[in-house]
Amino acid sequence: MQRRKFISLGSLGLSAFTFSSFKSPKAIRKPIVISTWDAGIEANKAAWKILNNGGPALDAVEQGVMVTESSQNCCVGLGANPDRDGFVTLDASIMDHQFNCGSVAFLERIKHPISVARRVMEKTPHVMLVGEGAQQFAVAEGFPLESEQLSDDAKRAYENWLKKSEYKPVINIERTKGNHSFAPSKLESGEWNHDTIGMVALDAHGNLSGSCTTSGQGFKMRGRVGDSPIIGAGLFVDNEVGAATATGQGEDVIRISGSHLVVEFMRQGLHPEAACKKAVERIIKAKGIEKSKEIQVGFIAINKQGEYGGYCIQKGFNFAVCYADDQNFLEDGKFIL
Ligand code: ASP
């Protein structure tokens, strides 16, 4: 019924859906942290420790996603799938409550791109460093240069991929709901086909921050950069309003400046869930329904009141929500198609 009702809104008669449709089922909470996919459960735990001690959201979102970057068998960080030439290249961004932001892209052999992004923000007059320059900066800042070798799982996945060498992104979904054990078999089977963790948090002082880190799409063209390190696309924070981050087909998130758009919808008064939904609708409108069926994009957001929400193109996206020691759980993203 729901689906039919939505489709009957016409060829994306999307404006009929307003914030008044949302009764804001979530209580206002602070501090709170949310992050994409089921790896977010572990990441939230690290972020929560900081938030619960009255620490800043900026530290929480950095240290939270570092957990995921460290996991050798995960979809994020140096253990992830390589590009089509066999190299793991990483993108990351971070943003605080004062419009300070930093990012790195096409970064190789550095374990924690999110921390390099933070150094770019704090120690340079720039917002973004890429490739060799980003690596040079990281090394100068004392980050160790890690081995170029692929993790065992990524190596197997790459060898499999080489048999056909086809660049065909698999629809970005989490098929093994509720399992955040980083099972290596997921990488081999191609089941684990999302590559990002995005996190946004509101601290006890009422300040927002966000982070986003990724290996990008597996077997991408060498040099390809997705949405995750692009401020406004993969991540955006406006401390007066809210914060949002994205996962999924990065090119389509960039096209609509996705996370910035979500924050702007919240500024207009939309609940975070409704704001995420409208951004997803914008992608579908731009791309057309048929082509949208071939991709996944998910947004998550929180507002200044600690309300949160997420939305995605199609079934299979989830996100982790944490606002108490015993409240760190996965929520399925609502979807449109
Ligand atoms: N958004 C990421 C990218 O396009 C990929 C992902 O979220 O899985 O690089």
Side-chain angles (χ1 to χ4, degrees):
M1 262 317 280
Q2 269 302 92
R3 189 167 171 267
R4 213 173 307 140
K5 195 165 138 208
F6 176 77
I7 289 168
S8 76
L9 285 177
S11 55
L12 300 167
L14 306 168
S15 58
F17 198 94
T18 70
F19 72 96
S20 61
S21 311
F22 280 87
K23 293 278 186 293
S24 189
K26 321 276 189 315
I28 293 176
R29 288 192 175 95
K30 192 174 71 172
I32 179 170
V33 56
I34 63 174
S35 53
T36 56
W37 304 107
D38 59 356
I41 292 281
E42 292 303 317
N44 281 0
K45 282 184 196 164
W48 180 251
K49 265 192 207 152
I50 294 165
L51 294 171
N52 199 28
N53 284 327
L58 184 66
D59 289 350
V61 297
E62 179 190 6
Q63 290 184 35
V65 303
M66 280 171 76
V67 170
T68 326
E69 287 180 341
S70 292
S71 171
Q72 264 294 293
N73 290 326
C74 186
C75 44
V76 173
L78 290 176
N81 284 339
D83 64 17
R84 66 187 195 183
D85 290 7
F87 300 99
V88 176
T89 71
L90 304 173
D91 301 338
S93 64
I94 194 160
M95 189 161 185
D96 75 3
H97 60 293
Q98 293 175 315
F99 294 104
N100 296 309
C101 46
S103 75
V104 288
F106 192 44
L107 176 62
E108 293 174 277
R109 298 177 60 190
I110 300 289
K111 190 172 176 184
H112 290 300
I114 196 64
S115 302
V116 186
R118 183 167 176 176
R119 298 280 175 95
V120 172
M121 172 175 97
E122 292 177 340
K123 291 197 157 182
T124 79
H126 308 304
V127 164
M128 189 171 194
L129 291 179
V130 305
E132 217 181 295
Q135 192 190 69
Q136 200 177 309
F137 171 70
V139 170
E141 283 294 308
F143 291 84
L145 205 51
E146 309 287 339
S147 141
E148 229 171 32
Q149 231 179 343
L150 298 181
S151 67
D152 291 346
D153 296 321
K155 199 164 169 247
R156 269 196 295 273
Y158 184 52
E159 279 161 7
N160 259 343
W161 178 82
L162 279 175
K163 288 178 195 155
K164 283 192 181 164
S165 300
E166 231 178 18
Y167 183 66
K168 206 174 157 203
V170 195
I171 290 177
N172 192 252
I173 58 170
E174 178 59 63
R175 287 188 192 130
T176 44
K177 186 173 165 258
N179 176 356
H180 49 274
S181 57
F182 305 152
S185 57
K186 286 182 176 185
L187 279 168
E188 283 174 63
S189 65
E191 261 191 290
W192 201 318
N193 49 34
H194 55 81
D195 312 280
T196 301
I197 181 161
M199 176 179 274
V200 285
L202 176 67
D203 64 27
H205 314 282
N207 288 325
L208 292 156
S209 289
S211 61
C212 191
T213 179
T214 188
S215 57
Q217 280 165 348
F219 321 121
K220 61 194 174 188
M221 279 179 75
R222 183 141 180 83
R224 181 263 186 191
V225 170
D227 59 313
S228 308
I230 311 290
I231 298 297
L235 177 70
F236 195 69
V237 179
D238 182 331
N239 206 45
E240 276 186 5
V241 178
T245 186
T247 182
Q249 183 80 26
E251 284 74 6
D252 291 295
V253 176
I254 294 173
R255 278 186 191 110
I256 64 148
S257 299
S259 295
H260 182 260
L261 189 62
V262 172
V263 171
E264 289 308 301
F265 284 139
M266 289 194 284
R267 191 191 307 281
Q268 291 167 15
L270 297 199
H271 184 278
E273 184 179 294
C276 291
K277 181 173 190 194
K278 275 185 82 88
V280 171
E281 288 170 347
R282 183 71 63 87
I283 289 177
I284 297 172
K285 191 172 176 186
K287 207 168 174 73
I289 290 180
E290 282 315 306
K291 283 196 170 158
S292 298
K293 285 180 187 161
E294 290 163 17
I295 63 158
Q296 175 69 299
V297 170
F299 291 105
I300 60 170
I302 52 179
N303 64 16
K304 194 71 181 162
Q305 290 75 43
E307 294 174 304
Y308 70 88
Y311 230 94
C312 55
I313 295 182
Q314 49 192 304
K315 192 176 174 177
F317 168 62
N318 55 21
F319 57 101
V321 181
C322 179
Y323 47 75
D325 280 337
D326 59 349
Q327 292 295 333
N328 185 17
F329 53 88
L330 278 176
E331 231 178 85
D332 286 329
K334 292 185 186 157
F335 53 95
I336 291 179
L337 296 182

